[in-house]
Amino acid sequence: MTSNSESTQELPLQQVDRVVIRFAGDSGDGIQITGSQFTMTSAIVGNDLATLPDFPAEIRAPAGTRPGVSGFQIQFSSSDIHTPGDAPDVLVAMNPAALVVNLKELKPGGTLVVNTGNFKEQDLRKAKLDKNPLEDGSVDGYRVIEVDINERVKEALAELTISSKDKERCKNFYTLGLMYWLYSRPLEPTLKWLADKFKRTPELVEANQMALKAGYNAGDIRELFHSHYEVLKTESMPPGTYRNVMGNQATAIGLVAGSKLANLRLVLGSYPITPASTVLETLAGYKSHGVITIQAEDEIAAICAAIGASYGGCLGLTSTSGPGMALKTEAMGLAVAVELPLVILDVQRAGPSTGMPTKVEQSDLFQSILGRNGDTPMPVLAISRPSDAFEMAIEACRIAVQYMTPVILLSDNYIANGAEPWRLPEMDSLKPFPVHFHDDPSNMEVFGRNELGARPWILPGTPGMEHRIGGLERDSKGNVSYDPDNHQRMTLERQNKILNIAKTLPKPTIQGEAQGDVLLLGWGSTVGVLTRVFEEAKAKGQKVSRIHLRHLWPLPPGLEDIFAGFKKILVPELNMGQLARLLRSEFQHHDFVSLPKVTGQPFLTHEIVKEVDRILA
Amino acid sequence: MTLQDPPKRTRKDFQSDQEVRWCPGCGDYAILASVQKYMAEAGVDPAKTVVVSGIGCSSRFPYYMNTYGFHTIHGRAPAIATGLKVARPDLDVWLITGDGDSMSIGGNHLIHVLRRNVNITILMFNNEIYGLTKGQYSPTSPVGTVKKSTPMGSVDRPFNPLQLVLGSQATFVARSVDADPGHLGKILKAAHEHQGTSFVEILQNCVIFNKDFYKDAMERSVRPDKTVDLVAGEPVVYGKERDKGLRFHDMQVEACAPGDALVWNPSGPNSAPGFLMAGLSEQAGMPTPIGIFRDYQALRYDTEVNSQVQKAVAKSGQGNLKDLVYAGETWQV
């Protein structure tokens, strides 16, 4: 730090329960790293937290422009939280574009930290601004903290011999340091992370660590802020061992767990696609677990390779997003026809077509349940949050191998890239479901069925059991058959096999009373916001309850009884009302109210609260 | 069993109980018989053999083989076979496809299975026509093919299948014909013994929609003079009297005296000789080439993928699920 900084008195330390920070800057500014470091440290401190990364699809969109703005929002708290928060308390804007794109969402009276080093004439021009928003009244009503971060970093790293470009790239750690000071976070986790990240280039470790410390000290010394804050660790979290986890990572771990519980080798066929690619990358790193990953030439080859692996007695898996799902459709039909286990992970993004690849939507529900030629039923499950991904991935594997069927496991961009503390399972609580291959040549009913309706799984290589399977309709011995009655029977058997899965599923639990005015019904990544809406409604004395579906097809048992207890069933979804339509067709005697949203952003709490109030008015 | 010789098998052991339903006179019957005969002679274990196919007349093949079989979807058999072979390197995987299945709808998967050099044997039946959909032109039909979907003749240039696969870095490329079981048997043996992807184009007569399309070269009476068989280590000589030779000159194949003929080497560092020979039929007055165009050793995907897994296990031990779940920074509440 500069030597002329004034020494100051200790600033007051205030305790707050929950804080929402949004970091915003160029997608090349390291915003996602800043955010994920803040997340990791907050998790280690013991806060409950939820995150919302929001970045453009372009890798390095033109610097300083509005479409190039990358954001990362985190809510951290000393009590239970369920969402990344509606409106930030603190907005860190690294340039004018980041400021104007995000300012309208900052809480009135909120804190705005701006990097004035990036508010020059040319920066304003890139953001298509005629006037400097810091000077034209736009930021009135906010507590504005102006720091020339570029200049401060240059000063702090003046002694170092690395290039000025490398120095400039340390500015996100200066910013992070400032925020660490403001919210009393320890520096050690990030210092350690930097040491590991840049271990091959020690000069970068030094530079980034210095920038982090300089930012922290600046908060302490320069009287930028009137006070600083402390968010104590969450006491209400159930006891256990925790780690911070992102959705795609937890999904990958769960799939490995599922294959191990089935006693099968996991074979992934995948083609890179946003936002599913990190599942492929993560699993490619699990080779010591026997996992095989095949980066295929296209989406079709990816699922076909997985089917080939399942045919060979492994657990085939393919991971993708909406457009890839469309391409895999025909192969899914083959897997249904030949009745082989397969897990299809769809990390949904906003559509249609290429749509908005880095934004969230839940609009592949119909595609998953219905989108195939012929009567081609498949189970569909949905992950609801990063900490739920492990369990749901295992559940998908279980259904696939026990019922000899492909299973669709839905996730979405919000879950995939979101992070939260995950209470780790006790290993002996995981129930194995080992597969038994059929090897008795005296019973060669290739499409005979057990009590679950599943056919036997016969491994190629088993002597005396040579047989053929294929996409042509077949009889119970596996031979091609165009017999009309046979097709009717086989179609029914395939349908019943899937519908009967419902019998083994638990009835959804109701949060709140079993009777009331409004039942909030959600699926997938809306679980956090719906929990928050439920809590607010309860606090207001509204007769609102909540259920969340994990199995979308077949639907779990007991819904008819649950629905009967409520006047209206509100179904908020990040699509145009797909689940609501499905429920209307399955349950004709209840009043479903659809609340669709397709902005590419998750629901905000108040958007759903407003709809509850409207219904109850 | 372990200490005894493998049981002697006959062609019958490879015949399934399903009635063969190709059209009477179809070239597929002869190919089926040749494959079954080769497998019996080679002592192939039917239980360890999987025949994978796509869609089309040829792709019904697995149903007639008393081995494991998977009749999949149109064009995708190479991808399914790749997944199977990577998952189960112990299995002997054969892939049956046609000119439409592999060169049109499945073109992408074909080039990539060849590039990866997965250790499987591909038999591509080329009849230059779509048979199962009742006679439309295919990507190997010559320009001007008049069929129901091309009443004024096709206008798109056909693939030269051998040049396509050589361009995809295939490590084994051969051509034979349904009507010459002796030649086909030799090619099947060489293809099956090759380590890596073997691609065999088998000219196959579709008696209904493209009858005798290859008769100018393949009819028994003219075959010796109209075809040249490429055999490794032998001079490229043909003719009833073995009186015609071929050699390379100025990046072309030219006729020469038998004594001056090129000695065929399909295993050189690049595939250019095979590529030039594969284009021979397009040169006026030249014979149709059959035999082995390429036979080369390269990295095999199935082996490499599995060896990476073994290396990872050797390096960090057999992965334990608890370590995976409890990895990274953890804390107690």
Side-chain angles (χ1 to χ4, degrees):
Chain A
M1 281 311 300
T2 49
S3 55
N4 61 353
S5 62
E6 301 155 43
S7 70
T8 56
Q9 299 157 303
E10 278 286 290
L11 287 170
L13 180 67
Q14 297 181 22
Q15 279 184 9
V16 282
D17 175 49
R18 59 181 64 185
V19 178
V20 180
I21 301 182
R22 185 182 297 179
F23 297 95
D26 270 337
S27 59
D29 270 345
I31 294 297
Q32 301 305 318
I33 291 177
T34 312
S36 56
Q37 283 299 306
F38 198 97
T39 303
M40 179 190 78
T41 300
S42 299
I44 291 170
V45 165
N47 295 140
D48 195 7
L49 58 87
T51 68
L52 174 61
D54 181 18
F55 42 86
E58 295 75 19
I59 303 302
R60 295 281 186 273
T65 63
R66 296 186 194 203
V69 173
S70 171
F72 189 104
Q73 183 163 313
I74 170 172
Q75 174 161 223
F76 55 105
S77 168
S78 58
S79 56
D80 272 2
I81 48 167
H82 311 292
T83 74
D86 281 12
D89 301 294
V90 181
L91 171 64
V92 180
M94 297 299 281
N95 63 32
L99 176 68
V100 293
V101 168
N102 290 289
L103 188 62
K104 61 179 186 295
E105 282 152 47
L106 183 60
K107 256 183 209 159
T111 301
L112 173 64
V113 179
V114 287
N115 176 11
T116 54
N118 285 345
F119 275 71
K120 306 204 176 73
E121 186 83 32
Q122 81 232 29
D123 301 310
L124 298 174
R125 213 178 315 120
K126 282 187 210 153
K128 294 198 162 50
L129 288 165
D130 300 327
K131 284 183 276 181
N132 187 341
L134 299 176
E135 292 161 3
D136 69 354
S138 301
V139 299
D140 292 356
Y142 299 107
R143 184 182 300 165
V144 184
I145 316 287
E146 296 189 5
V147 190
D148 186 342
I149 294 175
N150 302 8
E151 202 53 42
R152 296 289 86 78
V153 171
K154 216 186 280 177
E155 288 165 14
L157 306 184
E159 310 287 305
L160 299 185
T161 54
I162 58 168
S163 70
S164 51
K165 199 169 174 192
D166 279 342
K167 286 182 187 175
E168 200 193 317
R169 294 178 71 180
C170 296
K171 68 183 181 215
N172 57 328
F173 284 95
Y174 184 95
T175 317
L176 183 62
L178 262 183
M179 289 300 109
Y180 278 178
W181 179 82
L182 187 60
Y183 291 103
S184 315
R185 320 265 93 176
L187 299 182
E188 286 68 31
T190 296
L191 293 174
K192 201 172 135 197
W193 182 84
L194 282 167
D196 187 55
K197 172 92 180 165
F198 295 112
K199 63 180 172 227
R200 300 229 172 93
T201 41
E203 60 278 15
L204 292 184
V205 175
E206 188 189 13
N208 282 294
Q209 288 187 342
M210 275 174 84
L212 181 74
K213 288 177 192 164
Y216 190 89
N217 293 336
D220 213 4
I221 298 165
R222 295 181 75 90
E223 287 197 331
L224 293 167
F225 304 99
H226 299 293
S227 62
H228 64 148
Y229 306 92
E230 187 174 41
V231 178
L232 295 175
K233 74 184 232 191
T234 314
E235 297 297 348
S236 53
M237 285 164 92
T241 306
Y242 282 78
R243 72 183 268 198
N244 189 44
V245 79
M246 289 174 76
N248 272 358
Q249 187 188 14
T251 307
I253 297 169
L255 290 163
V256 175
S259 70
K260 290 195 178 206
L261 295 170
N263 199 23
L264 296 176
R265 164 173 281 196
L266 185 64
V267 178
L268 168 73
S270 189
Y271 186 76
I273 183 170
T274 303
S277 307
T278 50
V279 174
L280 163 63
E281 293 165 5
T282 306
L283 287 172
Y286 293 162
K287 290 188 171 56
S288 68
H289 293 269
V291 175
I292 285 179
T293 54
I294 299 172
Q295 183 175 314
E297 60 269 24
D298 60 28
E299 294 281 1
I300 298 169
I303 185 172
C304 285
I307 291 172
S310 284
Y311 174 62
C314 298
L315 180 56
L317 162 70
T318 188
S319 55
T320 189
S321 188
M325 285 294 278
L327 284 164
K328 292 180 196 299
T329 302
E330 189 198 15
M332 289 183 210
L334 176 67
V336 169
V338 297
E339 303 189 45
L340 280 171
L342 178 72
V343 177
I344 299 145
L345 171 68
D346 175 8
V347 186
Q348 299 167 96
R349 64 191 216 184
S353 186
T354 310
M356 301 195 287
T358 58
K359 308 297 174 190
V360 64
E361 227 166 71
Q362 299 179 306
S363 45
D364 294 350
L365 183 66
F366 276 174
Q367 182 183 17
S368 299
I369 297 177
L370 303 167
R372 286 168 292 281
N373 65 306
D375 285 295
T376 316
M378 275 168 63
V380 180
L381 284 64
I383 297 169
S384 56
R385 57 197 313 161
S387 61
D388 175 53
F390 179 79
E391 201 179 314
M392 291 312 286
I394 292 175
E395 173 73 348
C397 297
R398 179 190 72 84
I399 292 177
V401 298
Q402 288 184 342
Y403 289 87
M404 293 292 282
T405 179
V407 174
I408 292 177
L409 177 61
L410 292 173
S411 178
D412 67 35
N413 185 53
Y414 176 58
I415 298 165
N417 291 304
E420 67 175 359
W422 170 29
R423 189 162 76 101
L424 303 177
E426 295 292 340
M427 299 316 286
D428 45 16
S429 72
L430 304 175
K431 225 167 100 193
F433 40 87
V435 165
H436 300 288
F437 295 108
H438 180 56
D439 59 0
D440 173 13
S442 70
N443 175 11
M444 272 298 289
E445 282 240 309
V446 180
F447 287 82
R449 299 191 183 277
N450 67 11
E451 67 287 356
L452 296 178
R455 79 171 183 97
W457 194 353
I458 304 169
L459 281 189
T462 312
M465 300 196 76
E466 295 87 349
H467 67 279
R468 276 65 55 192
I469 59 172
L472 287 171
E473 185 62 288
R474 66 220 67 78
D475 61 23
S476 55
K477 291 197 178 310
N479 293 323
V480 174
S481 167
Y482 299 149
D483 176 69
D485 294 338
N486 178 70
H487 181 52
Q488 179 84 49
R489 181 179 62 79
M490 289 294 279
T491 303
L492 269 172
E493 285 181 7
R494 288 187 290 262
Q495 174 172 299
N496 290 337
K497 176 174 85 167
I498 302 307
L499 290 178
N500 285 339
I501 295 170
K503 290 181 187 160
T504 66
L505 303 178
K507 190 175 161 181
T509 46
I510 306 178
Q511 189 179 21
E513 303 299 321
Q515 260 95 36
D517 294 331
V518 174
L519 178 69
L520 286 168
L521 187 152
W523 67 279
S525 68
T526 54
V527 70
V529 71
L530 291 173
T531 307
R532 183 84 197 119
V533 171
F534 165 76
E535 285 169 353
E536 287 194 14
K538 196 174 144 193
K540 283 193 275 187
Q542 292 169 332
K543 289 183 180 163
V544 172
S545 300
R546 186 184 77 84
I547 64 168
H548 208 73
L549 299 184
R550 310 175 90 194
H551 294 85
L552 279 314
W553 196 259
L555 289 162
L559 288 179
E560 185 77 56
D561 291 348
I562 294 174
F563 294 163
F566 296 89
K567 289 181 190 149
K568 304 250 188 205
I569 299 152
L570 176 60
V571 190
E573 287 175 273
L574 298 174
N575 61 44
M576 291 307 288
Q578 296 183 17
L579 180 62
R581 277 178 74 182
L582 179 75
L583 292 171
R584 283 185 196 121
S585 78
E586 296 294 310
F587 303 94
Q588 290 86 23
H589 308 296
H590 306 285
D591 194 354
F592 297 98
V593 180
S594 175
L595 178 60
K597 177 176 180 180
V598 286
T599 61
Q601 298 293 334
F603 275 110
L604 299 176
T605 308
H606 71 80
E607 293 167 340
I608 303 173
V609 166
K610 198 170 120 195
E611 183 65 7
V612 173
D613 291 345
R614 190 193 65 79
I615 293 172
L616 293 174
Chain B
M1 279 284 290
T2 45
L3 294 175
Q4 295 163 11
D5 287 337
K8 287 263 179 291
R9 292 195 174 88
T10 67
R11 216 189 109 193
K12 273 201 150 35
D13 293 315
F14 290 89
Q15 293 171 337
S16 78
D17 59 355
Q18 297 298 292
E19 185 192 343
V20 184
R21 289 191 206 167
W22 287 308
C23 309
C26 176
D28 290 357
Y29 284 95
I31 303 172
L32 178 65
S34 290
V35 171
Q36 290 165 334
K37 183 165 172 278
Y38 164 70
M39 286 187 176
E41 284 168 5
V44 161
D45 180 356
K48 287 278 187 188
T49 303
V50 184
V51 183
V52 183
S53 67
I55 294 294
C57 293
S58 60
S59 288
R60 300 295 177 95
F61 201 93
Y63 292 116
Y64 310 135
M65 293 290 295
N66 191 30
T67 61
Y68 284 90
F70 197 173
H71 178 222
T72 71
I73 43 179
H74 209 3
R76 319 303 171 201
I80 288 175
T82 298
L84 175 62
K85 185 68 185 177
V86 168
R88 293 287 306 279
D90 60 309
L91 296 174
D92 186 4
V93 180
W94 294 67
L95 194 158
I96 310 295
T97 183
D99 44 316
D101 192 54
S102 67
M103 305 259 133
S104 195
I105 195 166
N108 196 31
H109 310 303
L110 178 72
I111 63 176
H112 286 277
V113 75
L114 295 169
R115 171 177 75 83
R116 293 192 175 100
N117 200 29
V118 182
N119 193 12
I120 64 172
T121 306
I122 302 178
L123 308 183
M124 193 270 273
F125 301 6
N126 185 6
N127 53 20
E128 299 186 2
I129 200 75
Y130 285 117
L132 201 57
T133 51
K134 297 195 167 74
Q136 299 81 15
Y137 83 116
S138 92
T140 57
S141 305
V143 171
T145 299
V146 175
K147 296 290 169 190
K148 274 183 265 181
S149 65
T150 47
M152 294 175 70
S154 60
V155 293
D156 33 354
R157 295 187 305 145
F159 273 132
N160 179 317
L162 300 175
Q163 290 184 337
L164 175 70
V165 301
L166 286 165
S168 309
Q169 302 174 43
T171 56
F172 183 97
V173 178
R175 177 191 270 162
S176 190
V177 60
D178 55 4
D180 189 347
H183 187 263
L184 182 54
K186 275 193 293 188
I187 295 293
L188 289 174
K189 181 172 190 300
H192 187 229
E193 287 172 357
H194 172 74
Q195 297 295 304
T197 311
S198 308
F199 180 91
V200 182
E201 177 192 9
I202 304 171
L203 301 176
Q204 173 249 322
N205 196 7
C206 173
V207 292
I208 306 296
F209 297 109
N210 208 15
K211 189 168 165 42
D212 298 337
F213 73 100
Y214 56 45
K215 71 169 189 292
D216 289 352
M218 295 298 165
E219 206 168 4
R220 201 179 293 268
S221 59
V222 300
R223 201 182 299 157
D225 286 312
K226 297 285 190 175
T227 62
V228 57
D229 189 12
L230 302 171
V231 181
E234 291 189 14
V236 184
V237 170
Y238 66 104
K240 214 174 270 170
E241 311 299 331
R242 296 194 60 80
D243 55 347
K244 299 188 256 292
L246 296 172
R247 66 180 178 192
F248 294 132
H249 179 70
D250 274 354
M251 302 293 286
Q252 298 275 350
V253 184
E254 67 172 18
C256 64
D260 298 332
L262 166 79
V263 174
W264 185 237
N265 175 17
S267 308
N270 71 55
S271 57
F275 196 88
L276 288 175
M277 284 298 178
L280 205 57
S281 334
E282 286 135 45
Q283 274 178 255
M286 287 293 187
T288 296
I290 58 174
I292 296 172
F293 294 73
R294 185 89 178 124
D295 189 353
Y296 185 71
Q297 291 298 313
L299 282 183
R300 299 197 304 272
Y301 184 76
D302 46 320
T303 320
E304 294 300 311
V305 167
N306 281 286
S307 96
Q308 283 192 345
V309 170
Q310 285 159 10
K311 273 182 205 153
V313 171
K315 191 176 165 222
S316 34
Q318 190 76 49
N320 166 298
L321 183 58
K322 183 166 185 186
D323 294 341
L324 190 62
V325 171
Y326 283 73
E329 295 276 354
T330 60
W331 69 93
Q332 297 292 326
V333 169

